[in-house]
């Protein structure tokens, strides 16, 4: 079964053609990072306009690279929730139009659930039950998948997502958006034990919180600059030395990843899954992977970075497993939904 998928929930326009949920014929992703970097984060209006400009060229490139015709394609899948409404709309309207014109069934895919399916694009699919740590710019959650489309939320962030915390700490340190890779680079030159930032104590055993960590980083940076708690965060970066910045980045990254790994290990022991996977943009973190591989009693495979960050291949893979289960197709009146939990 060949599926054409479209992903446009945030600042990446992506189209993929995937056979049987795992064979990648093409996965073209055009990022808007350069466009948004000057603003220090994604500007929704700008993102939507950029999706309009590049959607058809990206679609053309994906079809060309896969070397298939419309007759070869069995279904169309699209991310319909959650995300920026203007961005989602471009993908949904493109998918609806193509499904109507080419007379193909349409599958509406939840973006966060889709992230997990980056792991089904690996050479060997993970075995159920799967414990999934989903970490992106908007989500931090632990989910137990008993089967396709049969999952249980074990815990989630009660405030900031971990990727968001990376982005905000990067901005404080004067590093560009997106923060994750920038923090990782600065951390390479820093001491991860320079500062012992606190880990939040949560009521829910598998819940997360990153806003306290973010505030602790701000307080530490203010103290290093010899400034009080009301000193504006925007002026901090200019006062820190490179060594101080790198130590903060390394210590923050260590503690943020430890927090994620602590809960993942605890959930592993409580639920004894057959496999553990990580998903979402922050799953690209080498520090997270290092800590997890070191502490997890079983082996774990990691998707390449381009399948961790937003991409359409993961959306195609999830749609395939849904189609295989003979789940009903979605109507051509499909709407984009900006906020919707899994
Ligand atoms: O999944 P994604 O591409 O978009 C959303 O759905 O949010 O995730 C983007 C997030 C950003 O917050 C970015 O800083 C984070 O993933 N990220 C990382 C790394 N690479 C990207 N966070 C930590 N370490 C990284 N290496
Ligand atoms: Zn995402």
């Amino acid at each position: 079964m060949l599926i054409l998928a479209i992903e446009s929930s945030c600042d990446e326009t992506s189209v993929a053609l995937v056979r049987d949920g795992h064979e990648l014929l093409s996965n073209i992703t055009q990022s808007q990072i350069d466009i948004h970097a000057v603003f220090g984060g994604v500007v929704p209006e700008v993102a939507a306009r950029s999706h309009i400009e590049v959607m058809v060229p990206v679609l053309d490139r994906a079809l060309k690279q896969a070397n298939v015709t419309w007759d070869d394609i069995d279904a169309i899948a699209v991310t319909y929730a959650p995300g920026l409404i203007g961005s989602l709309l471009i993908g949904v309207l493109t998918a609806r139009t193509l499904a109507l014109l080419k007379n193909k069934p349409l599958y509406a895919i939840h973006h966060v659930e889709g992230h997990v399916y980056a792991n089904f694009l690996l050479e060997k699919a993970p075995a159920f039950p799967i414990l999934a740590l989903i970490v992106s710019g908007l989500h931090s959650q632990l989910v137990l998948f008993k089967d396709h489309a049969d999952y249980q939320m074990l815990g989630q962030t009660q405030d900031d997502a971990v990727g968001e915390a990376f982005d905000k700490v990067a901005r404080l340190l004067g590093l560009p958006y997106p923060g994750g890779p920038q923090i990782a680079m600065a951390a390479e030159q820093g001491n991860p034990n320079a500062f012992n930032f606190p880990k939040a104590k949560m009521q829910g055993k598998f819940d997360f919180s990153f806003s306290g960590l973010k505030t602790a980083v701000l307080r530490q940076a203010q103290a290093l600059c010899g400034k009080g708690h009301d000193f504006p965060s925007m002026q901090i970066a200019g006062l820190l030395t490179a060594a101080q910045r790198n130590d903060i980045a390394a210590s923050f990254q260590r503690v943020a990843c430890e927090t994620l790994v602590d809960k993942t290990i605890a959930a592993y022991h409580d639920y004894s899954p057959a496999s553990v996977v990580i998903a979402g943009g922050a799953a690209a973190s080498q520090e997270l992977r290092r800590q997890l591989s070191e502490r997890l009693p079983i082996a774990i495979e990691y998707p390449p970075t381009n399948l961790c960050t937003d991409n359409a291949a993961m959306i195609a893979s999830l749609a395939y497993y849904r189609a295989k289960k003979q789940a009903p197709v979605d109507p051509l009146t499909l709407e984009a939904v900006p906020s919707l939990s899994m």
Side-chain angles (χ1 to χ4, degrees):
M1 181 176 200
L2 181 62
I3 296 188
L4 179 145
I6 299 175
E7 155 67 44
S8 70
S9 62
C10 189
D11 59 343
E12 261 104 21
T13 317
S14 184
V15 177
L17 282 130
V18 178
R19 200 184 298 283
D20 296 339
H22 72 274
E23 192 191 335
L24 250 176
L25 303 192
S26 63
N27 183 31
I28 306 290
T29 303
Q30 185 149 335
S31 172
Q32 305 173 6
I33 283 178
D34 295 345
I35 301 172
H36 298 288
V38 287
F39 303 107
V42 178
V43 183
E45 268 298 308
V46 175
R49 248 177 275 161
S50 175
H51 284 303
I52 295 174
E53 281 165 20
V54 305
M55 182 59 80
V56 173
V58 168
L59 183 64
D60 282 343
R61 278 171 61 202
L63 284 165
K64 207 163 166 195
Q65 195 184 92
N67 198 20
V68 296
T69 67
W70 279 101
D71 284 342
D72 302 323
I73 296 170
D74 297 295
I76 292 174
V78 65
T79 301
Y80 80 110
L84 301 170
I85 184 65
S87 293
L88 285 168
L89 267 175
I90 310 307
V92 167
L93 289 177
T94 307
R96 275 170 50 173
T97 308
L98 290 172
L100 180 70
L101 282 176
K102 307 293 182 187
N103 196 24
K104 307 285 178 189
L106 179 65
Y107 290 96
I109 302 296
H110 191 285
H111 177 79
V112 185
E113 192 182 342
H115 265 303
V116 175
Y117 281 73
N119 292 281
F120 283 87
L121 295 163
L122 298 175
E123 200 145 297
K124 195 162 157 265
F128 290 103
I130 300 168
L131 174 65
L133 172 68
I134 308 175
V135 280
S136 76
L138 292 173
H139 298 85
S140 306
Q141 49 201 42
L142 271 166
V143 184
L144 187 68
F145 282 76
K146 291 165 199 152
D147 195 352
H148 298 290
D150 178 7
Y151 51 82
Q152 176 190 352
M153 185 73 66
L154 303 182
Q156 55 193 319
T157 183
Q158 301 300 304
D159 40 58
D160 290 357
V162 68
E164 190 182 355
F166 270 86
D167 294 337
K168 286 177 178 169
V169 168
R171 197 200 289 219
L172 174 76
L173 300 179
L175 301 169
Y177 172 85
Q182 297 291 330
I183 295 271
M185 265 192 285
E188 274 177 35
Q189 314 295 324
N191 172 8
N193 297 307
F195 307 109
N196 219 355
F197 294 127
K199 292 184 201 167
K201 299 239 180 330
M202 306 301 294
Q203 277 206 324
K205 189 172 177 188
F206 304 115
D207 282 341
F208 301 103
S209 161
F210 291 100
S211 94
L213 172 60
K214 188 188 64 189
T215 307
V217 169
L218 171 63
R219 297 286 178 254
Q220 184 62 62
Q222 285 166 327
L224 286 172
C225 300
K227 303 288 180 185
H229 284 181
D230 51 358
F231 189 71
S233 59
M234 283 139 59
Q235 294 174 29
I236 298 269
L239 297 173
L240 291 173
T241 65
Q244 288 170 331
R245 185 195 63 201
N246 297 340
D247 282 351
I248 292 179
S251 303
F252 160 75
Q253 179 177 255
R254 173 184 60 80
V255 174
C257 294
E258 267 174 24
T259 305
L260 296 168
V261 174
D262 288 349
K263 306 260 167 160
T264 308
I265 300 292
Y268 174 80
H269 288 300
D270 277 17
Y271 292 94
S272 307
S275 43
V276 177
V277 304
I278 60 174
S285 167
Q286 292 303 320
E287 174 64 12
L288 177 61
R289 293 171 179 217
R290 189 190 63 73
Q291 288 190 22
L292 197 55
S293 292
E294 204 174 280
R295 292 176 56 191
L296 201 63
I298 55 170
I300 173 166
E301 295 292 325
Y302 298 105
T305 301
N306 68 322
L307 297 178
C308 288
T309 49
D310 291 350
N311 68 89
M314 64 190 195
I315 303 301
S317 180
L318 171 48
Y320 166 76
Y321 288 103
R322 184 172 301 173
K324 214 173 129 191
K325 271 199 147 184
Q326 317 220 302
V329 299
D330 290 284
L332 294 181
T333 51
L334 176 72
E335 300 278 358
V337 183
S339 69
L340 182 72
S341 51
M342 260 176 76

